[in-house]
Structure formats: C-alpha cells, structure tokens
Amino acid sequence: MRFQQLEKPMDRNMKLLVVLALLCSAIISRGQSTIGYEAGNAERNVFFNGSPVPDNNVAEIGFFNPGFDLSANANNLTALNSAWHELAFTSFKAVFSPPNDGRFSGSSSTSDTAFDSKNISLWIFKTTDNAAPASGFGNVAGYGIFSSTAANWIFPSQSGMPPLTTSVYSSEVNQAYHGTFDADTVNGHLFLNPVPEPATVGLLGLAAATLFIARSKRRA
C-alpha cells in the first residue's frame, strides 16, 4: 500500500508566507517608477559659450506646474524655480568620453504620484564654480530648459502596470525654452543661454512700464 504523505502545518504556513511576500513585492514595484536621463555618447552633448559644459555642473529632471508659461518666464529664474518640481539631479561626468565633454547620465526612482503623467523637462546649469546651483542662483552663468514631444518624455503613472520605467535622451530634444539645439541628434549639441544681465532685465522692465504709460495716456 502507498501512503500519501500529509502536508505538515509548518510547510503550509511557509508556502503562505512566500505567496504573501511575492504579492507585497508586486505591490511595491507597482508603486514606484524609474526614470533615466542622459546626454551620452552618440547623443547631443551640452555647450555653453562655445565650449562643452565641464564636469561637476548639474542637470536636473522634473516638471513645471501644468499651465505655467515657460516661454514667457524663461528669463525669470525666480518664477521658474517657484514652478519647478525636481525629481532628481546628476552631475556632468565623463563615462566613455573624455573629461569635461558636456555629458551626463543619471537615473532615479520615485513613489510620489505628483509626478504621474507630467511632461518631463531637463533644467541644465553652467555655474561659475562648476558645481551645483547655489541658493538664489548667484553662481549660475547660464542655463537651458529642454523637453520633447516624444511619448517617452512623460513620467509613468503609478496606477499603470509594471515595469514603470522610461528613459529620456538629449538626442530626442525638440523643445527649448531657454537655450537652443541643432538638428544633428548624434554629433550635435544642446546650447545653454547666459543668465540675463541685471541691466538688461531692468531695461526690459523700464520699456514695459514706458509702453504701459504711453498706452494709458492714449486711452485717456
């Protein structure tokens, strides 16, 4: 006669724990998204004043408030900063290219649903000391704000099915709000614009005020 071995209560409990662990792992992975961002080899690198941005400068990834007018506020660092939601930042650093070649590569994960389905932007800085931007942006010499209409330039929604990942590349940039880019996506560049001179900003404000006064007088 064959006797069927009865499953021990301990074995059943162990199997139940394994199933629960797998379920918890699936729930956790579903509640987190991972985003890569880079200006790597065979992609546009980043230039400022005719030269590649040196190592240790910073590229940030995040989004601006929906409805915020980037074009109108592109020269206003205070307004940009108040509307900016940073996910992460990475430093310029050579990987497979020579040092100080204007390249960066980073990756970050988040479980913050505030990023869900928002348009991804890169805010890239060149500072006077080749470091992260100081509070108040006092050391910022130039910056660029770049994005793309490509479908992968959207933060994954954490209500979607895993894996919740996307990667964005400088070769895909087709929108520049402060800065420019050239058509060559392999050997080309993203170009940062200088920070507007205080005198220039003041003159623009004076011109706007003069225009407003002139229009008011005409109406009167």
Side-chain angles (χ1 to χ4, degrees):
M1 291 180 64
R2 292 182 179 179
F3 294 95
Q4 184 177 5
Q5 186 175 4
L6 296 176
E7 189 176 35
K8 296 179 180 178
M10 184 66 72
D11 294 335
R12 290 197 299 271
N13 291 338
M14 186 61 67
K15 288 180 179 178
L16 181 60
L17 288 174
V18 170
V19 171
L20 288 174
L22 290 172
L23 286 172
C24 289
S25 176
I27 292 170
I28 292 170
S29 65
R30 185 168 179 172
Q32 190 173 67
S33 57
T34 301
I35 301 93
Y37 53 108
E38 66 174 65
N41 292 316
E43 298 167 6
R44 296 184 183 108
N45 62 346
V46 187
F47 266 56
F48 177 68
N49 279 351
S51 301
V53 170
D55 292 353
N56 299 318
N57 282 281
V58 161
E60 299 181 0
I61 185 172
F63 72 91
F64 289 93
N65 288 336
F68 177 72
D69 193 336
L70 264 175
S71 298
N73 291 284
N75 290 326
N76 188 333
L77 279 167
T78 301
L80 290 169
N81 192 48
S82 65
W84 176 243
H85 300 265
E86 178 189 309
L87 170 66
F89 69 88
T90 191
S91 297
F92 280 72
K93 183 180 180 182
V95 181
F96 299 110
S97 57
N100 304 309
D101 197 32
R103 301 194 182 277
F104 62 84
S105 180
S107 179
S108 185
S109 297
T110 182
S111 57
D112 187 351
T113 57
F115 289 88
D116 284 10
S117 304
K118 300 296 193 307
N119 294 326
I120 294 174
S121 290
L122 293 175
W123 195 356
I124 305 174
F125 295 90
K126 166 64 177 79
T127 59
T128 55
D129 53 354
N130 297 322
S135 176
F137 301 105
N139 65 339
V140 174
Y143 63 94
I145 298 171
F146 304 98
S147 190
S148 176
T149 56
N152 53 302
W153 283 67
I154 301 290
F155 286 106
S157 174
Q158 293 177 36
S159 62
M161 291 297 294
L164 305 177
T165 61
T166 192
S167 293
V168 299
Y169 306 94
S170 60
S171 59
E172 299 167 336
V173 166
N174 59 18
Q175 296 175 319
Y177 297 96
H178 194 271
T180 57
F181 57 91
D182 54 28
D184 189 339
T185 59
V186 177
N187 299 306
H189 316 292
L190 303 180
F191 299 98
L192 310 184
N193 283 353
V195 173
E197 293 289 339
T200 303
V201 175
L203 286 173
L204 288 173
L206 179 61
T210 303
L211 181 61
F212 176 77
I213 292 169
R215 286 179 176 174
S216 297
K217 286 182 177 178
R218 285 199 203 107
R219 287 176 190 152

